[in-house]
Amino acid sequence: MYGDGNKHRGIINPVKRKGEPHVGPDALMIMIPSELKYLVRTAHAQEISFNEMMMYRLYQTTDKTVTPLTLAGPFIGAPHAVIAMEKLIVLGARRIWVFGWCGSLQPGIRIGHLLIPTGAVSEEGTSGHYPVGERVPESDASLDRMVEDALRQQCLPFFKGPVWTTDAVYRETPEKVKAYQARGVMGVEMEMAALMTLALYRSVKIAALLVVSDELFDLKWRPGFSNPSLRKASHVAGRILLDIAGSLHYKDDLKHKDV
């Protein structure tokens, strides 16, 4: 679980402290504050106190017949999200489901469209601290298929492909946008490369569903943060991930109780 052995182990390590909650195999990381609030209401989850609650919030469902499903957030940027994912893993999570927004780099991908990031190009400073050898940051194919199947069942169009992860939102230059467009990169955001790298390092599975919140593909910025289609698509996408994670979580809980 700790990558390439003790020589790469940090001096400070994620730990489960006394009194902190157990997290079942599935955890949702929700980047956007408004969508976190919406999904917490939808899941009838309650906030759980723990040692890092000032950095982000942790919520769990209240159905006492099954292991609680965990929701965490909000997050901004790779360092913040990775700190939280490290904690979720040490608390018990083995499948990480990420929900957030991204900017579009391709002309056919517009505000409100859905994107499954299958890999990521890193321009952030966190990934390089996790030695994963020649492996590239990518999502888990089996989890991606679950997301695809759920989207198809609801007749929702979507895109799949790599994203560009950056720390510097004000340095998304025309040259970079054109270069990543040419490489087939679909969108730009701030966390996925680091989270995917951490998943490799800690040997957990990860998948994500992103909603396009703004457009950069023609080298002009068109924000869609007040666009009703963004809010509608975000609610739909968030519920889909919540349903998938909840269903898997419930099945695993039944298997555990049957043993």
Side-chain angles (χ1 to χ4, degrees), residues 81-109:
V82 161
I83 288 170
M85 183 169 156
E86 286 272 33
K87 189 69 172 186
L88 289 169
I89 292 169
V90 82
L91 292 178
R94 292 298 175 265
R95 291 184 293 257
I96 305 294
W97 305 87
V98 179
F99 175 53
W101 291 349
C102 68
S104 168
L105 300 183
Q106 301 293 339
I109 306 178

mmCIF file of all heavy atoms in Angstrom, residues 81-109:
data_model
loop_
_atom_site.group_PDB
_atom_site.id
_atom_site.type_symbol
_atom_site.label_atom_id
_atom_site.label_comp_id
_atom_site.label_asym_id
_atom_site.label_seq_id
_atom_site.Cartn_x
_atom_site.Cartn_y
_atom_site.Cartn_z
ATOM 1 N N ALA A 81 -6.828 18.286 -2.402
ATOM 2 C CA ALA A 81 -7.564 17.053 -2.689
ATOM 3 C C ALA A 81 -6.764 15.813 -2.308
ATOM 4 O O ALA A 81 -7.320 14.827 -1.803
ATOM 5 C CB ALA A 81 -7.942 17.015 -4.171
ATOM 6 N N VAL A 82 -5.456 15.837 -2.527
ATOM 7 C CA VAL A 82 -4.630 14.673 -2.204
ATOM 8 C C VAL A 82 -4.549 14.451 -0.698
ATOM 9 O O VAL A 82 -4.590 13.311 -0.221
ATOM 10 C CB VAL A 82 -3.226 14.824 -2.837
ATOM 11 C CG1 VAL A 82 -2.206 13.895 -2.165
ATOM 12 C CG2 VAL A 82 -3.292 14.509 -4.322
ATOM 13 N N ILE A 83 -4.434 15.516 0.080
ATOM 14 C CA ILE A 83 -4.447 15.371 1.539
ATOM 15 C C ILE A 83 -5.721 14.642 1.980
ATOM 16 O O ILE A 83 -5.677 13.727 2.814
ATOM 17 C CB ILE A 83 -4.348 16.754 2.214
ATOM 18 C CG1 ILE A 83 -2.937 17.321 2.054
ATOM 19 C CG2 ILE A 83 -4.723 16.663 3.698
ATOM 20 C CD1 ILE A 83 -2.815 18.774 2.486
ATOM 21 N N ALA A 84 -6.846 15.030 1.405
ATOM 22 C CA ALA A 84 -8.122 14.409 1.775
ATOM 23 C C ALA A 84 -8.197 12.965 1.310
ATOM 24 O O ALA A 84 -8.659 12.086 2.053
ATOM 25 C CB ALA A 84 -9.272 15.212 1.188
ATOM 26 N N MET A 85 -7.743 12.697 0.102
ATOM 27 C CA MET A 85 -7.816 11.326 -0.402
ATOM 28 C C MET A 85 -6.911 10.406 0.406
ATOM 29 O O MET A 85 -7.269 9.258 0.679
ATOM 30 C CB MET A 85 -7.452 11.288 -1.885
ATOM 31 C CG MET A 85 -7.565 9.904 -2.504
ATOM 32 S SD MET A 85 -7.434 9.974 -4.302
ATOM 33 C CE MET A 85 -6.861 8.311 -4.657
ATOM 34 N N GLU A 86 -5.744 10.877 0.824
ATOM 35 C CA GLU A 86 -4.878 10.091 1.701
ATOM 36 C C GLU A 86 -5.636 9.708 2.972
ATOM 37 O O GLU A 86 -5.568 8.564 3.445
ATOM 38 C CB GLU A 86 -3.628 10.894 2.060
ATOM 39 C CG GLU A 86 -2.598 11.029 0.944
ATOM 40 C CD GLU A 86 -1.598 9.881 0.924
ATOM 41 O OE1 GLU A 86 -1.971 8.740 1.274
ATOM 42 O OE2 GLU A 86 -0.439 10.142 0.547
ATOM 43 N N LYS A 87 -6.349 10.674 3.529
ATOM 44 C CA LYS A 87 -7.089 10.413 4.760
ATOM 45 C C LYS A 87 -8.223 9.420 4.518
ATOM 46 O O LYS A 87 -8.428 8.499 5.323
ATOM 47 C CB LYS A 87 -7.651 11.724 5.311
ATOM 48 C CG LYS A 87 -8.263 11.596 6.698
ATOM 49 C CD LYS A 87 -7.198 11.335 7.744
ATOM 50 C CE LYS A 87 -7.771 11.393 9.148
ATOM 51 N NZ LYS A 87 -6.718 11.281 10.181
ATOM 52 N N LEU A 88 -8.951 9.581 3.424
ATOM 53 C CA LEU A 88 -10.049 8.663 3.132
ATOM 54 C C LEU A 88 -9.539 7.234 2.974
ATOM 55 O O LEU A 88 -10.184 6.280 3.418
ATOM 56 C CB LEU A 88 -10.769 9.105 1.856
ATOM 57 C CG LEU A 88 -11.601 10.386 1.978
ATOM 58 C CD1 LEU A 88 -12.042 10.862 0.602
ATOM 59 C CD2 LEU A 88 -12.811 10.174 2.883
ATOM 60 N N ILE A 89 -8.387 7.083 2.351
ATOM 61 C CA ILE A 89 -7.818 5.742 2.162
ATOM 62 C C ILE A 89 -7.462 5.119 3.500
ATOM 63 O O ILE A 89 -7.781 3.954 3.781
ATOM 64 C CB ILE A 89 -6.592 5.803 1.233
ATOM 65 C CG1 ILE A 89 -7.019 6.180 -0.191
ATOM 66 C CG2 ILE A 89 -5.862 4.454 1.218
ATOM 67 C CD1 ILE A 89 -5.859 6.518 -1.116
ATOM 68 N N VAL A 90 -6.791 5.881 4.356
ATOM 69 C CA VAL A 90 -6.385 5.318 5.644
ATOM 70 C C VAL A 90 -7.595 5.038 6.543
ATOM 71 O O VAL A 90 -7.541 4.186 7.427
ATOM 72 C CB VAL A 90 -5.353 6.243 6.338
ATOM 73 C CG1 VAL A 90 -6.004 7.391 7.072
ATOM 74 C CG2 VAL A 90 -4.448 5.449 7.263
ATOM 75 N N LEU A 91 -8.711 5.727 6.282
ATOM 76 C CA LEU A 91 -9.947 5.450 7.021
ATOM 77 C C LEU A 91 -10.722 4.268 6.450
ATOM 78 O O LEU A 91 -11.718 3.846 7.043
ATOM 79 C CB LEU A 91 -10.840 6.690 7.034
ATOM 80 C CG LEU A 91 -10.341 7.899 7.831
ATOM 81 C CD1 LEU A 91 -11.318 9.065 7.707
ATOM 82 C CD2 LEU A 91 -10.101 7.552 9.293
ATOM 83 N N GLY A 92 -10.288 3.765 5.285
ATOM 84 C CA GLY A 92 -10.906 2.550 4.761
ATOM 85 C C GLY A 92 -11.355 2.561 3.318
ATOM 86 O O GLY A 92 -11.744 1.522 2.775
ATOM 87 N N ALA A 93 -11.328 3.702 2.638
ATOM 88 C CA ALA A 93 -11.831 3.771 1.259
ATOM 89 C C ALA A 93 -10.905 3.029 0.298
ATOM 90 O O ALA A 93 -9.675 3.135 0.393
ATOM 91 C CB ALA A 93 -11.970 5.220 0.818
ATOM 92 N N ARG A 94 -11.507 2.304 -0.632
ATOM 93 C CA ARG A 94 -10.747 1.586 -1.657
ATOM 94 C C ARG A 94 -11.212 1.930 -3.067
ATOM 95 O O ARG A 94 -10.555 1.583 -4.032
ATOM 96 C CB ARG A 94 -10.865 0.069 -1.430
ATOM 97 C CG ARG A 94 -10.168 -0.411 -0.167
ATOM 98 C CD ARG A 94 -8.676 -0.133 -0.227
ATOM 99 N NE ARG A 94 -7.995 -0.479 1.019
ATOM 100 C CZ ARG A 94 -7.745 0.380 1.990
ATOM 101 N NH1 ARG A 94 -8.142 1.651 1.880
ATOM 102 N NH2 ARG A 94 -7.109 0.006 3.079
ATOM 103 N N ARG A 95 -12.364 2.574 -3.171
ATOM 104 C CA ARG A 95 -12.842 3.088 -4.459
ATOM 105 C C ARG A 95 -13.180 4.557 -4.264
ATOM 106 O O ARG A 95 -14.034 4.894 -3.445
ATOM 107 C CB ARG A 95 -14.063 2.303 -4.959
ATOM 108 C CG ARG A 95 -13.759 0.867 -5.389
ATOM 109 C CD ARG A 95 -14.995 0.176 -5.959
ATOM 110 N NE ARG A 95 -16.015 -0.028 -4.936
ATOM 111 C CZ ARG A 95 -16.272 -1.197 -4.341
ATOM 112 N NH1 ARG A 95 -15.564 -2.274 -4.659
ATOM 113 N NH2 ARG A 95 -17.229 -1.304 -3.447
ATOM 114 N N ILE A 96 -12.512 5.408 -5.010
ATOM 115 C CA ILE A 96 -12.704 6.846 -4.899
ATOM 116 C C ILE A 96 -13.465 7.341 -6.121
ATOM 117 O O ILE A 96 -13.039 7.109 -7.261
ATOM 118 C CB ILE A 96 -11.358 7.582 -4.788
ATOM 119 C CG1 ILE A 96 -10.524 7.020 -3.627
ATOM 120 C CG2 ILE A 96 -11.579 9.079 -4.658
ATOM 121 C CD1 ILE A 96 -11.101 7.266 -2.260
ATOM 122 N N TRP A 97 -14.566 8.017 -5.888
ATOM 123 C CA TRP A 97 -15.404 8.575 -6.949
ATOM 124 C C TRP A 97 -15.313 10.097 -6.873
ATOM 125 O O TRP A 97 -15.629 10.689 -5.832
ATOM 126 C CB TRP A 97 -16.850 8.126 -6.780
ATOM 127 C CG TRP A 97 -17.006 6.633 -6.717
ATOM 128 C CD1 TRP A 97 -16.922 5.837 -5.602
ATOM 129 C CD2 TRP A 97 -17.239 5.751 -7.813
ATOM 130 N NE1 TRP A 97 -17.111 4.519 -5.948
ATOM 131 C CE2 TRP A 97 -17.303 4.426 -7.297
ATOM 132 C CE3 TRP A 97 -17.427 5.940 -9.183
ATOM 133 C CZ2 TRP A 97 -17.537 3.317 -8.088
ATOM 134 C CZ3 TRP A 97 -17.659 4.832 -9.978
ATOM 135 C CH2 TRP A 97 -17.711 3.544 -9.450
ATOM 136 N N VAL A 98 -14.866 10.720 -7.944
ATOM 137 C CA VAL A 98 -14.615 12.161 -7.942
ATOM 138 C C VAL A 98 -15.650 12.862 -8.812
ATOM 139 O O VAL A 98 -15.909 12.452 -9.949
ATOM 140 C CB VAL A 98 -13.198 12.469 -8.471
ATOM 141 C CG1 VAL A 98 -12.947 13.977 -8.483
ATOM 142 C CG2 VAL A 98 -12.146 11.750 -7.639
ATOM 143 N N PHE A 99 -16.212 13.935 -8.269
ATOM 144 C CA PHE A 99 -17.169 14.735 -9.023
ATOM 145 C C PHE A 99 -16.730 16.191 -9.007
ATOM 146 O O PHE A 99 -16.477 16.764 -7.941
ATOM 147 C CB PHE A 99 -18.570 14.601 -8.419
ATOM 148 C CG PHE A 99 -19.584 15.495 -9.080
ATOM 149 C CD1 PHE A 99 -19.755 15.470 -10.442
ATOM 150 C CD2 PHE A 99 -20.344 16.366 -8.323
ATOM 151 C CE1 PHE A 99 -20.684 16.311 -11.061
ATOM 152 C CE2 PHE A 99 -21.280 17.200 -8.924
ATOM 153 C CZ PHE A 99 -21.437 17.166 -10.294
ATOM 154 N N GLY A 100 -16.609 16.779 -10.198
ATOM 155 C CA GLY A 100 -16.181 18.167 -10.264
ATOM 156 C C GLY A 100 -16.524 18.805 -11.594
ATOM 157 O O GLY A 100 -17.308 18.268 -12.387
ATOM 158 N N TRP A 101 -15.936 19.954 -11.829
ATOM 159 C CA TRP A 101 -16.133 20.713 -13.055
ATOM 160 C C TRP A 101 -14.820 20.811 -13.816
ATOM 161 O O TRP A 101 -13.745 20.604 -13.260
ATOM 162 C CB TRP A 101 -16.622 22.127 -12.738
ATOM 163 C CG TRP A 101 -18.012 22.211 -12.187
ATOM 164 C CD1 TRP A 101 -18.944 21.212 -12.130
ATOM 165 C CD2 TRP A 101 -18.642 23.370 -11.614
ATOM 166 N NE1 TRP A 101 -20.101 21.673 -11.559
ATOM 167 C CE2 TRP A 101 -19.949 23.003 -11.232
ATOM 168 C CE3 TRP A 101 -18.224 24.679 -11.384
ATOM 169 C CZ2 TRP A 101 -20.838 23.886 -10.639
ATOM 170 C CZ3 TRP A 101 -19.098 25.578 -10.787
ATOM 171 C CH2 TRP A 101 -20.402 25.183 -10.426
ATOM 172 N N CYS A 102 -14.919 21.157 -15.104
ATOM 173 C CA CYS A 102 -13.713 21.351 -15.912
ATOM 174 C C CYS A 102 -14.002 22.355 -17.019
ATOM 175 O O CYS A 102 -15.157 22.626 -17.345
ATOM 176 C CB CYS A 102 -13.222 20.030 -16.511
ATOM 177 S SG CYS A 102 -14.320 19.322 -17.766
ATOM 178 N N GLY A 103 -12.928 22.884 -17.589
ATOM 179 C CA GLY A 103 -13.037 23.728 -18.770
ATOM 180 C C GLY A 103 -12.859 22.885 -20.024
ATOM 181 O O GLY A 103 -12.090 21.917 -20.027
ATOM 182 N N SER A 104 -13.554 23.217 -21.073
ATOM 183 C CA SER A 104 -13.476 22.468 -22.320
ATOM 184 C C SER A 104 -12.358 22.984 -23.221
ATOM 185 O O SER A 104 -12.219 24.191 -23.421
ATOM 186 C CB SER A 104 -14.802 22.558 -23.081
ATOM 187 O OG SER A 104 -14.646 22.076 -24.402
ATOM 188 N N LEU A 105 -11.594 22.039 -23.789
ATOM 189 C CA LEU A 105 -10.546 22.381 -24.748
ATOM 190 C C LEU A 105 -10.905 21.992 -26.174
ATOM 191 O O LEU A 105 -10.151 22.313 -27.098
ATOM 192 C CB LEU A 105 -9.231 21.685 -24.366
ATOM 193 C CG LEU A 105 -8.641 22.018 -22.995
ATOM 194 C CD1 LEU A 105 -7.311 21.296 -22.820
ATOM 195 C CD2 LEU A 105 -8.485 23.516 -22.802
ATOM 196 N N GLN A 106 -12.025 21.305 -26.361
ATOM 197 C CA GLN A 106 -12.404 20.823 -27.688
ATOM 198 C C GLN A 106 -13.725 21.455 -28.120
ATOM 199 O O GLN A 106 -14.663 21.556 -27.325
ATOM 200 C CB GLN A 106 -12.534 19.301 -27.682
ATOM 201 C CG GLN A 106 -11.265 18.554 -27.287
ATOM 202 C CD GLN A 106 -10.143 18.718 -28.311
ATOM 203 O OE1 GLN A 106 -10.379 19.054 -29.474
ATOM 204 N NE2 GLN A 106 -8.902 18.480 -27.885
ATOM 205 N N PRO A 107 -13.827 21.870 -29.396
ATOM 206 C CA PRO A 107 -15.010 22.613 -29.861
ATOM 207 C C PRO A 107 -16.341 21.909 -29.657
ATOM 208 O O PRO A 107 -17.357 22.553 -29.433
ATOM 209 C CB PRO A 107 -14.720 22.827 -31.356
ATOM 210 C CG PRO A 107 -13.235 22.788 -31.459
ATOM 211 C CD PRO A 107 -12.783 21.775 -30.438
ATOM 212 N N GLY A 108 -16.346 20.573 -29.717
ATOM 213 C CA GLY A 108 -17.614 19.863 -29.581
ATOM 214 C C GLY A 108 -18.077 19.673 -28.162
ATOM 215 O O GLY A 108 -19.179 19.172 -27.919
ATOM 216 N N ILE A 109 -17.257 20.070 -27.202
ATOM 217 C CA ILE A 109 -17.594 19.869 -25.795
ATOM 218 C C ILE A 109 -17.971 21.219 -25.202
ATOM 219 O O ILE A 109 -17.146 22.112 -25.080
ATOM 220 C CB ILE A 109 -16.410 19.242 -25.037
ATOM 221 C CG1 ILE A 109 -15.945 17.965 -25.744
ATOM 222 C CG2 ILE A 109 -16.800 18.956 -23.597
ATOM 223 C CD1 ILE A 109 -14.748 17.304 -25.076
#
